[in-house]
Amino acid sequence: MKISKTDCLRTPKADGFYMPGEFEPHEGTLMIWPWRPGSWNYGAKAARTAFAEIAEAIAAYEQVYLFVRPQDKASAQELLSSDRIHLIEAQTEDAWARDTGATFVINNQGGRRGIQWEFNAWGGQYDGLYSHFEHDREVPERICSFLGDSFYNARPFVLEGGSIHVDGEGTLLTTEECLLSPGRNPSLTRAEIEEKLRQYLSVEKIIWLPFGIYNDETNGHIDNMCCFVKPGEVLLAWTDDENDPQYARSRAAFDLLSHTVDAKGRSFVIHKLPIPKHPICITEEDLLGYDFEAGEDQRETGERLAASYINFYLANHCVLLPRFGDENDTVAAEILGKCFPDRRILPVDARVILTGGGNIHCITQQIPAKKRGNRL
């Protein structure tokens, strides 16, 4: 496999590249076909149906690049029909394209490059979720090679795509709970981590929310907690129930965001997006369908899942919104409709993705258009 790497001594910032907002135009979306028995129960049958629905919905508006193991290719071909979905044969350990895929940066001359972060399954030997992730570490090189994009090697810096959100104008959101966790970069100080983010994503201001969503096994990824609608405007996971363990987390984030400004000096417009009214938990029936391997994090009956409507995905001209069978499904769709009036709101039954450990945003990774355009 021929890969074009950039000079390891340079960074995107030094070369004039930056990470655009997810709401800006995409060329396409990276996804990975699910198969892991410890994440996707009952042979991943229901998960594949959900992934196929999401891929087809995205393909109506942009290209989809779907990694699939050779032995699983027939199952993908059976469920997928769009000629905008490109099947790329590759071995992978799991299907979290947000976290294992490359992060893409662009410049103002129509260039695009990827970033290859270190991936250690959300915590490595300290609290990682599975022991073997050799193939997952290969995903950034493989997608950049397929697209013909060169890439920056940011290793050994550990980072997952779900731990960052940017506004494309110099502001980055993350959480202390995640990026300062002992399983990521324990030898680096907070200031050193910030400098890595500045150099590789060309951001100027980093806003650290204290926590992510309650019981998030990724150590509090930002993409379950808060995201940009556009520069200066955010959506924040919320509950009014003071007895819910999420309340203090959301209140702390709201208070911080209410008293800070972005890289351009703007105060934030904050939209509260409610979490499901009723906690969504793992059932005994769910557990019977899993096959956990040695060293893999195992779920337990009654375990509360990190359900959040913030984990939607912005494809071109549409919003892929998780639907949980909760009364707040409708409330979330209405709020997003007001925040994104020019996009179609497309709710997708996503409980099966949630039981796998994440949601729609976690299984997708945007590939920005090479030429910067208006917000979509």
Side-chain angles (χ1 to χ4, degrees):
M1 181 170 56
K2 186 178 180 180
I3 303 294
S4 176
K5 297 184 182 181
T6 59
D7 186 339
C8 64
L9 298 179
R10 296 186 65 85
T11 65
K13 182 177 181 180
D15 291 338
F17 284 79
Y18 61 92
M19 184 179 178
E22 186 175 313
F23 42 78
E24 296 186 54
H26 300 178
E27 174 188 323
T29 296
L30 171 66
M31 295 182 67
I32 303 171
W33 199 238
W35 70 271
R36 187 180 186 83
S39 295
W40 313 106
N41 56 9
Y42 297 101
K45 184 175 181 181
R48 288 173 175 176
T49 298
F51 274 56
E53 181 180 356
I54 291 165
E56 292 282 353
I58 295 172
Y61 300 96
E62 60 189 69
Q63 307 295 317
V64 175
Y65 301 96
L66 180 66
F67 279 27
V68 58
R69 299 189 308 164
Q71 58 266 47
D72 298 323
K73 189 173 182 179
S75 69
Q77 291 173 324
E78 182 180 349
L79 292 173
L80 298 166
S81 60
S82 174
D83 59 6
R84 287 212 236 182
I85 301 176
H86 309 277
L87 301 185
I88 304 169
E89 292 189 15
Q91 294 291 338
T92 58
E93 271 81 36
D94 214 337
W96 307 110
R98 175 66 47 180
D99 294 341
T100 62
T103 296
F104 287 93
V105 290
I106 61 174
N107 65 15
N108 292 324
Q109 288 74 48
R112 184 181 66 210
R113 295 174 180 173
I115 301 172
Q116 178 189 60
W117 312 104
E118 182 61 273
F119 177 74
N120 69 355
W122 308 276
Q125 294 184 354
Y126 181 81
D127 61 354
L129 300 183
Y130 48 81
S131 301
H132 297 285
F133 38 84
E134 294 83 4
H135 294 307
D136 284 346
R137 295 180 72 248
E138 298 170 354
V139 173
E141 287 192 20
R142 288 185 177 276
I143 186 59
C144 288
S145 178
F146 185 87
L147 295 170
D149 291 342
S150 59
F151 68 94
Y152 297 93
N153 187 353
R155 293 174 178 172
F157 185 69
V158 177
L159 185 134
E160 308 96 35
S163 68
I164 55 172
H165 264 307
V166 301
D167 69 351
E169 295 188 0
T171 308
L172 180 144
L173 288 169
T174 190
T175 72
E176 296 174 339
E177 183 179 16
C178 180
L179 283 199
L180 301 183
S181 66
R184 298 303 196 285
N185 300 286
S187 66
L188 299 182
T189 65
R190 175 168 164 156
E192 289 170 332
I193 291 171
E194 287 191 345
E195 185 59 22
K196 288 284 187 182
L197 298 173
R198 290 190 180 98
Q199 292 301 319
Y200 280 92
L201 301 173
S202 295
V203 293
E204 301 165 23
K205 180 157 188 177
I206 296 154
I207 298 174
W208 295 83
L209 302 188
F211 307 105
I213 286 288
Y214 173 73
N215 218 29
D216 185 348
E217 62 187 15
T218 65
N219 304 110
H221 271 186
I222 192 68
D223 71 348
N224 244 2
M225 184 68 175
C226 187
C227 65
F228 288 103
V229 175
K230 60 183 179 181
E233 192 169 335
V234 298
L235 279 153
L236 175 66
W238 188 259
T239 177
D240 288 321
D241 182 358
E242 296 185 12
N243 295 316
D244 191 303
Q246 180 58 38
Y247 179 82
R249 292 167 168 259
S250 294
R251 171 55 66 181
F254 182 84
D255 291 345
L256 188 151
L257 289 167
S258 297
H259 294 89
T260 192
V261 295
D262 67 11
K264 301 296 184 184
R266 294 172 291 223
S267 297
F268 286 104
V269 175
I270 306 170
H271 303 278
K272 295 176 179 177
L273 190 63
I275 61 175
K277 187 169 184 179
H278 305 287
I280 299 171
C281 302
I282 284 281
T283 67
E284 184 176 356
E285 182 181 0
D286 292 326
L287 283 178
L288 289 174
Y290 291 110
D291 183 11
F292 298 108
E293 66 179 29
E296 185 169 8
D297 187 63
Q298 300 188 19
R299 294 159 180 77
E300 298 178 357
T301 301
E303 176 184 341
R304 175 166 165 171
L305 298 168
S308 170
Y309 298 106
I310 292 290
N311 208 276
F312 61 81
Y313 179 60
L314 292 175
N316 289 342
H317 304 294
C318 69
V319 181
L320 278 293
L321 172 66
R323 182 169 57 201
F324 304 114
D326 185 89
E327 58 195 83
N328 277 345
D329 288 358
T330 301
V331 177
E334 291 174 350
I335 292 172
L336 288 177
K338 293 176 182 177
C339 288
F340 301 104
D342 298 327
R343 295 177 186 259
R344 290 186 63 193
I345 309 300
L346 303 175
V348 178
D349 289 333
R351 186 183 182 280
V352 67
I353 307 175
L354 179 63
T355 59
N359 224 290
I360 296 175
H361 196 261
C362 303
I363 66 168
T364 51
Q365 173 65 276
Q366 70 270 15
I367 301 168
K370 293 183 178 181
K371 186 175 181 179
R372 189 169 194 178
N374 294 326
R375 180 167 69 99
L376 286 176

